[in-house]
Amino acid sequence: MKEYFKHGTKVLFYGDSITDASRDRENPLHMGYGYANKIADIYTALYPNSGVQFYNRGIGGNRLSDLLDRYHEDVCPVKPDFVSVLVGINDTWRRYDRGLIVTEADFEKQYRDLLGRIRLDFLQSPIMVIEPFLLPTDPEKTVYWEDLTPKIEIVKSLAKEMADFYLPSGQLFDEAMKDGYSPFQLSEDGVHPTNTGHAYLAVKWLQMVGVL
């Protein structure tokens, strides 16, 4: 266990509804009720004098294109010292509920653009990429895998090339189920974690940077 962040570090969580987790968007310091909030709470409890500031800029329903569109509004003003990104499931989901197809080429271009902007604007800021995931609790979403699988491979490849940390959440949730968790304990709809699922993701995130 170690105090990974320097005093006063600004940590930004960027993504879709999984990160958003019902945060109060009128309050720029509200962390929501998901993994981002749990990470902030655990870290602050362990190191109450660290002065680390945590920011949540997740918005439900967002795809990569949305994160790119609001980058200058939501990321740049924070001037983060560490950026955690979780996005991708909606780029698949919108194909099946709205017919909006994001090709693998477009997905890779957009994700590369996002990571490239962060790297260019915040050269010294480490990046954590969290893999998009789908748990087996909704049979109707099984078809999503044909679109999601190649996108996960793209995320994994880009993280290896451009990020500092890669959290293989799908693999980690699989391990949790092998250890005795049921899929429904982790996510009722396969996409959005339960409180237990968020807690599990938060612990794995903190273990990734060596805090736990």
Side-chain angles (χ1 to χ4, degrees):
M1 190 171 74
K2 65 178 181 179
E3 188 173 357
Y4 176 79
F5 299 114
K6 295 180 180 179
H7 185 83
T9 291
K10 290 184 286 186
V11 180
L12 174 67
F13 296 91
Y14 200 41
D16 52 34
S17 59
I18 302 169
T19 301
D20 183 340
S22 300
R23 70 182 176 93
D24 177 3
R25 297 179 198 164
E26 298 301 314
N27 179 357
L29 297 180
H30 195 262
M31 292 299 296
Y33 303 95
Y35 75 93
N37 182 58
K38 295 180 188 301
I39 289 169
D41 282 350
I42 293 170
Y43 194 90
T44 302
L46 290 172
Y47 306 107
N49 299 315
S50 68
V52 175
Q53 303 169 63
F54 294 93
Y55 299 87
N56 185 340
R57 294 297 182 267
I59 292 184
N62 271 195
R63 297 183 295 167
L64 265 169
S65 58
D66 299 304
L67 266 63
L68 286 168
D69 286 345
R70 62 186 177 88
Y71 174 83
H72 290 290
E73 177 183 352
D74 282 355
V75 176
C76 292
V78 174
K79 298 181 180 178
D81 302 299
F82 188 103
V83 182
S84 178
V85 179
L86 171 53
V87 68
I89 188 62
N90 290 317
D91 290 82
T92 288
W93 201 340
R94 294 294 85 85
R95 171 180 177 175
Y96 298 96
D97 68 351
R98 299 181 190 175
L100 301 176
I101 297 174
V102 179
T103 67
E104 292 171 32
D106 285 342
F107 185 83
E108 180 173 2
K109 181 180 183 301
Q110 291 171 7
Y111 214 124
R112 181 180 293 278
D113 189 5
L114 178 62
L115 296 180
R117 291 188 192 186
I118 297 169
R119 185 61 75 205
L120 179 64
D121 293 336
F122 310 103
L123 183 61
Q124 303 302 319
S125 302
I127 300 172
M128 166 85 78
V129 167
I130 304 176
E131 174 185 293
F133 54 86
L134 179 65
L135 277 74
T137 54
D138 181 358
E140 292 186 1
K141 292 188 178 77
T142 301
V143 68
Y144 289 15
W145 281 111
E146 64 179 342
D147 185 272
L148 183 60
T149 298
K151 287 182 168 62
I152 290 175
E153 291 304 313
I154 289 168
V155 173
K156 186 182 302 184
S157 177
L158 288 176
K160 183 177 180 180
E161 176 187 346
M162 304 179 71
D164 302 273
F165 300 95
Y166 180 67
L167 193 68
S169 51
Q171 174 188 326
L172 294 174
F173 280 129
D174 284 344
E175 292 173 0
M177 288 183 282
K178 290 178 183 177
D179 288 340
Y181 286 96
S182 75
F184 288 95
Q185 285 179 291
L186 301 170
S187 173
E188 294 181 354
D189 68 354
V191 172
H192 301 93
T194 59
N195 189 51
T196 298
H198 275 293
Y200 187 81
L201 194 61
V203 167
K204 293 303 178 181
W205 193 101
L206 289 164
Q207 287 176 339
M208 180 65 66
V209 298
V211 173
L212 298 179

